[in-house]
Amino acid sequence: MWLKFKRDWEESESSVTPEALFKQRRNIIKGLGVAGASSLLPVTGHAASWFGSDDDEPAAIVRRALQKTDIAPLHNDALTPESKAISHNNFYEFGTAKDDPAKNSRNFNPTPWSITIDGLVEKPVTLDLDDVMAKMALEQRIYRLRCVEAWSMVIPWVGFSLSDLLKMAKPLSSAKYVAFETLYDPEQMPGQKSRFVGGGIDYPYVEGLRLDEAMNPLSFMAVGMYGKTLPAQNGAPLRLVVPWKYGFKSIKSIVRIRFLDKQPPTTWNLLGPSEYGFYANVNPQVDHPRWSQASERRIDDAGLLGRKRIDTEMFNGYSKQVAHMYKDMDLSRYY
Amino acid sequence: MNKRINQYLAKHQWQTRLALHVLLLSPFAYCVAAVLNEWWGGDPVQAIIHYFANSALNILLITLCLAPLSRRFKLPSLLAFRRLIGLYVFAYALLHLAAYLLIDLGLDWGLFWQETIKRPYIWLGMLGFVVLLAMSITSLKKLQTGLGRRWLQLHGFIYPIALLVVIHFWWSLKSGWLEPVIYLAIIGILFFVRKVQIQRWLSSFAK
């Protein structure tokens, strides 16, 4: 028989504040803005939230629970709380501030979704995501995510190996690289519509991997996180996860994959070639020209002031799995 | 009309000061509310740092408006509040720097000095901060009269500092240029309006 003892920090169900009351209080606090002070407000996206953003309105995406097999993690790191992982995002298609993607993606609707795989393949295919998911046995993998901006998270992704997806298209032996492309839909992605919202990037966002990197067992296609399908701001419905590379390589909301014999252009490399390389392997010895990559701010359950920086590890701690692919390369040149 | 405003401001010195303090503290209060209510997402570190910097820059632009406004509309009473407002520029610059050190670098002083030495865009920010610090210290009445002409020379550095911090801002961005260009345009207009004063300031070093 299983008995449940109430621990001393537990509150009874009846003492929980009703949601409606909680939200009402939040709205009162929101309304307390001093009107005159608005002239001092910075001209950032944040100013908009003064005047009541509707972050309480339900998102178009309903996150479904996913059946998965848990894979033992390679590190014993504490998970980043889900609430932080889904409210702190770089996804310029929905705005450049970290809180923009969660706020500006509420109307994003990714169904139905198809992925085209073409280029150097025997037969180009267009796959329906639901069909793909029905064929794959989903796994949960806990990976570190190291952003090039020197913060990091630890996230339980749900998905399948990238190689399993790529094999569906039967690539030719001449294929040496894999190129990925994000959805281009300015109606749904305000950052693609306005340069001011989208940080002046040329869309669609493109990324790429060498074929051996793409086929590495660590390379992962995520359709979910924290046991449920992905929210829009984290790259719904399908995104890449390459844990030994900086986060910008892990392209979101993928609609097209191409096999190529040449290295494909990649968005951040086009924007700042001296700051963002094609490889973008996590490397504490090679600084970003404007900041150190030797340490990182791990986003865990600690508060703002309780956080310590930790040392960044070579290949983000995945050397054993990936270092062999870069054996004879000068990684300060191919950053 | 302007006469009445002047009289009113002269008569209600402390009330006006109090109102200015409330107004100038409100960005800080908003920041605290935003962090506590998670309006800026689960990890507001970058948002806080940028918010303080933007607040400092906006208030700096307000201080640059005061002299032209007082001249154009014959409101000398406005200048009595220039020191108070100017000190808030320094206060927000200090908060910006403190937030970077405390919540981004996690009070890692070694990393702080290393980054300050290595990164040119941080040099610009630091230079701006040091000049604002010097201006704040010398804003004391006693020092003001003691320094005489040198005081005017020091405080004229607000012009290059305004430009410098916008370049610091532009340089710190990962992409985009719209915001810094808007700031530069505003500064350009303010410089044009004050071109006589700027020329006078520059020639004060030639003597």
Side-chain angles (χ1 to χ4, degrees):
Chain A
M1 188 177 153
W2 189 74
L3 286 171
K4 190 172 184 274
F5 293 100
K6 200 171 138 187
R7 282 155 287 192
D8 54 6
W9 45 265
E10 280 181 304
E11 296 279 351
S12 71
E13 196 76 9
S14 61
S15 67
V16 172
T17 307
E19 193 182 352
L21 206 66
F22 174 76
K23 284 184 175 164
Q24 197 184 334
R25 287 190 40 196
R26 285 181 38 151
N27 287 336
I28 292 170
I29 297 168
K30 267 189 208 165
L32 286 174
V34 185
S38 61
S39 59
L40 303 178
L41 280 176
V43 262
T44 63
H46 294 129
S49 60
W50 264 74
F51 308 106
S53 67
D54 356 43
D55 52 353
D56 290 340
E57 136 199 345
I61 289 182
V62 179
R63 294 182 62 197
R64 284 183 293 116
L66 293 167
Q67 293 287 332
K68 74 242 183 331
T69 313
D70 289 6
I71 306 295
L74 291 163
H75 311 94
N76 274 326
D77 300 357
L79 289 186
T80 297
E82 182 179 9
S83 62
K84 292 184 183 176
I86 65 171
S87 63
H88 180 84
N89 308 91
N90 275 327
F91 199 176
Y92 281 22
E93 280 81 346
F94 295 108
T96 55
K98 296 286 183 280
D99 53 326
D100 281 344
K103 286 172 182 157
N104 297 338
S105 66
R106 305 195 74 81
N107 297 320
F108 182 71
N109 186 351
T111 46
W113 192 271
S114 55
I115 313 118
T116 300
I117 309 181
D118 58 1
L120 300 170
V121 293
E122 272 178 33
K123 197 176 159 231
V125 287
T126 296
L127 304 164
D128 181 72
L129 182 62
D130 288 336
D131 295 344
V132 174
M133 280 173 71
K135 275 185 205 138
M136 302 283 187
L138 297 182
E139 292 178 348
Q140 171 166 288
R141 297 194 195 175
I142 296 172
Y143 278 164
R144 293 174 174 171
L145 175 89
R146 170 62 158 79
C147 180
V148 73
E149 296 167 0
W151 52 265
S152 64
M153 294 184 176
V154 180
I155 297 175
W157 302 105
V158 182
F160 42 84
S161 287
L162 173 60
S163 62
D164 288 344
L165 179 69
L166 297 182
K167 280 173 200 156
M168 285 182 167
K170 301 197 176 69
L172 300 173
S173 60
S174 54
K176 298 280 181 290
Y177 291 90
V178 186
F180 302 86
E181 199 176 302
T182 295
L183 174 73
Y184 182 75
D185 185 355
E187 290 311 310
Q188 290 206 75
M189 295 177 151
Q192 294 178 338
K193 208 172 191 174
S194 144
R195 288 188 73 81
F196 195 58
V197 179
I201 288 181
D202 285 325
Y203 293 105
Y205 193 93
V206 286
E207 257 307 335
L209 295 172
R210 227 166 51 190
L211 188 63
D212 60 329
E213 296 177 320
M215 291 306 202
N216 186 286
L218 280 186
S219 295
F220 199 57
M221 275 294 191
V223 292
M225 63 196 295
Y226 297 88
K228 288 173 288 193
T229 49
L230 290 170
Q233 62 270 29
N234 293 79
L238 177 76
R239 67 168 293 170
L240 182 65
V241 184
V242 270
W244 72 95
K245 292 176 179 285
Y246 292 121
F248 67 85
K249 294 295 288 182
S250 294
I251 182 172
K252 294 168 169 174
S253 305
I254 299 165
V255 291
R256 190 176 179 201
I257 299 173
R258 264 178 312 153
F259 287 91
L260 304 167
D261 55 0
K262 282 195 294 281
Q263 182 177 304
T266 57
T267 293
W268 280 103
N269 181 243
L270 291 173
L271 218 58
S274 64
E275 301 192 328
Y276 311 99
F278 172 80
Y279 286 94
N281 292 318
V282 175
N283 187 343
Q285 269 117 49
V286 178
D287 280 356
H288 184 283
R290 287 181 283 149
W291 57 83
S292 165
Q293 296 290 26
S295 64
E296 66 200 52
R297 206 164 44 76
R298 173 63 58 80
I299 297 172
D300 51 21
D301 56 5
L304 266 185
L305 298 170
R307 231 170 268 154
K308 276 221 180 74
R309 285 177 84 92
I310 56 173
D311 288 341
T312 294
E313 291 178 51
M314 189 66 206
F315 297 115
N316 209 17
Y318 298 96
S319 290
K320 231 169 148 186
Q321 290 76 24
V322 301
H324 61 90
M325 295 190 290
Y326 312 102
K327 227 173 28 215
D328 302 315
M329 285 173 69
D330 176 0
L331 292 178
S332 60
R333 203 176 145 216
Y334 297 99
Y335 51 88
Chain B
M1 178 67 188
N2 48 355
K3 215 179 232 168
R4 281 178 56 193
I5 296 175
N6 278 326
Q7 278 170 356
Y8 184 88
L9 288 178
K11 228 192 209 164
H12 298 86
Q13 277 273 339
W14 74 262
Q15 290 94 331
T16 312
R17 274 170 204 282
L18 182 69
L20 281 173
H21 279 297
V22 171
L23 201 65
L24 291 160
L25 279 170
S26 63
F28 180 75
Y30 176 72
C31 178
V32 172
V35 171
L36 293 180
N37 292 293
E38 295 180 9
W39 295 337
W40 291 345
D43 186 70
V45 170
Q46 192 193 347
I48 294 169
I49 294 171
H50 287 185
Y51 186 81
F52 287 147
N54 276 310
S55 300
L57 182 52
N58 291 352
I59 301 169
L60 192 158
L61 295 184
I62 292 173
T63 63
L64 284 180
C65 291
L66 286 178
L69 280 178
S70 78
R71 229 184 354 263
R72 174 77 179 74
F73 298 103
K74 298 194 174 64
L75 291 169
S77 53
L78 280 183
L79 297 181
F81 308 103
R82 198 155 54 159
R83 173 170 179 260
L84 185 158
I85 301 172
L87 283 172
Y88 272 95
V89 179
F90 174 69
Y92 280 100
L94 181 65
L95 283 169
H96 167 62
L97 183 62
Y100 170 64
L101 174 63
L102 201 65
I103 59 177
D104 192 358
L105 301 187
L107 216 58
D108 182 338
W109 285 97
L111 184 57
F112 176 75
W113 291 119
Q114 182 203 309
E115 294 291 78
T116 304
I117 291 162
K118 265 192 186 171
R119 318 290 170 194
Y121 90 97
I122 296 183
W123 300 347
L124 296 187
M126 275 298 181
L127 187 59
F129 179 77
V130 169
V131 175
L132 285 174
L133 174 67
M135 289 172 69
S136 302
I137 294 170
T138 56
S139 74
L140 290 166
K141 278 263 154 52
K142 260 188 201 161
L143 289 172
Q144 194 171 341
T145 41
L147 283 167
R149 190 168 66 95
R150 298 234 167 264
W151 190 90
L152 283 174
Q153 282 181 337
L154 172 64
H155 285 245
F157 274 101
I158 197 66
Y159 304 116
I161 289 304
L163 276 178
L164 215 67
V165 295
V166 176
I167 296 166
H168 165 71
F169 173 35
W170 197 335
W171 208 335
S172 77
L173 290 179
K174 274 177 76 190
S175 72
W177 43 264
L178 212 59
E179 270 187 76
V181 165
I182 292 170
Y183 275 118
L184 284 180
I186 295 170
I187 290 172
I189 294 167
L190 287 170
F191 276 21
F192 180 75
V193 174
R194 311 187 66 157
K195 61 180 186 293
V196 179
Q197 283 77 17
I198 293 174
Q199 274 162 5
R200 211 177 289 153
W201 174 67
L202 286 171
S203 58
S204 78
F205 292 96
K207 283 168 200 165

